Amino acid sequence: MKTSPNASFGWLISKSARMVVRMYQKEMAHLGVTPPQSGILLVLSQHGPMTQTAIGDLLLLEKANLSEMIRRLRDAKLIETDNSPDDARSVVHTLNPKGEAIANEVLKIDGIMDKELKALVSVESAKGARELLMAILDLSHKP
């Protein structure tokens, strides 16, 4: 079924996002992680130890959903949870070597997916789409 040329911009972005998540799910199935879980692994790989709140803020994930994802990553022995060195009442999550290896595989998949998605349109259109999506994401940082 072809998408209507009159579909609203927000609807197109929402539907496209779901489609891209499905593409990532297919590519990551052999790694044993979901796209949202892979986001947690990438954030920890790039930023080092972080609290659940900090991870949620970066990934725009709700606390309840994030708690479950972190539990599953811990159960899969991809991340470790320890007391924060800055605040004994808080915990931080870190990647272990197995989690780091999965994060590196996710980065490879992300690079392949990026090329495939960019190949759908001209270079100028891809730059414009990236600019638009970044502007939308920047809205999350405004009060």
Side-chain angles (χ1 to χ4, degrees):
M1 176 181 199
K2 200 135 172 101
T3 302
S4 167
N6 299 322
S8 74
F9 206 63
W11 185 87
L12 290 170
I13 290 172
S14 177
K15 188 169 182 179
S16 297
R18 286 191 301 271
M19 185 173 170
V20 170
V21 167
R22 285 186 192 147
M23 293 166 68
Y24 271 93
Q25 283 171 330
K26 181 181 174 191
E27 294 300 318
M28 290 181 192
H30 72 284
L31 299 176
V33 296
T34 64
Q37 290 170 339
S38 72
I40 295 169
L41 297 178
L42 290 177
V43 162
L44 291 174
S45 179
Q46 294 166 356
H47 298 279
M50 296 182 78
T51 65
Q52 180 173 315
T53 301
I55 295 167
D57 289 348
L58 274 175
L59 296 176
L60 304 175
L61 293 171
E62 297 296 324
K63 186 176 181 177
N65 295 336
L66 184 56
S67 294
E68 180 62 19
M69 285 186 262
I70 286 174
R71 184 191 63 75
R72 288 177 186 249
L73 290 170
R74 231 184 5 253
D75 289 350
K77 306 214 183 318
L78 299 177
I79 66 172
E80 296 171 4
T81 301
D82 296 301
N83 288 332
S84 170
D86 302 324
D87 181 357
R89 299 168 295 167
S90 182
V91 296
V92 293
H93 307 286
T94 57
L95 283 181
N96 60 28
K98 184 178 174 184
E100 190 68 52
I102 298 291
N104 287 333
E105 289 300 311
V106 169
L107 277 175
K108 291 177 190 173
I109 291 169
D110 193 48
I112 293 166
M113 293 291 296
D114 193 55
K115 286 179 185 174
E116 288 179 12
L117 292 169
K118 285 179 181 175
L120 297 173
V121 295
S122 68
V123 172
E124 294 80 23
S125 292
K127 286 180 183 177
R130 179 176 174 73
E131 193 174 303
L132 169 68
L133 294 171
M134 293 298 292
I136 291 169
L137 291 174
D138 285 346
L139 293 174
S140 71
H141 301 295
K142 294 183 179 177

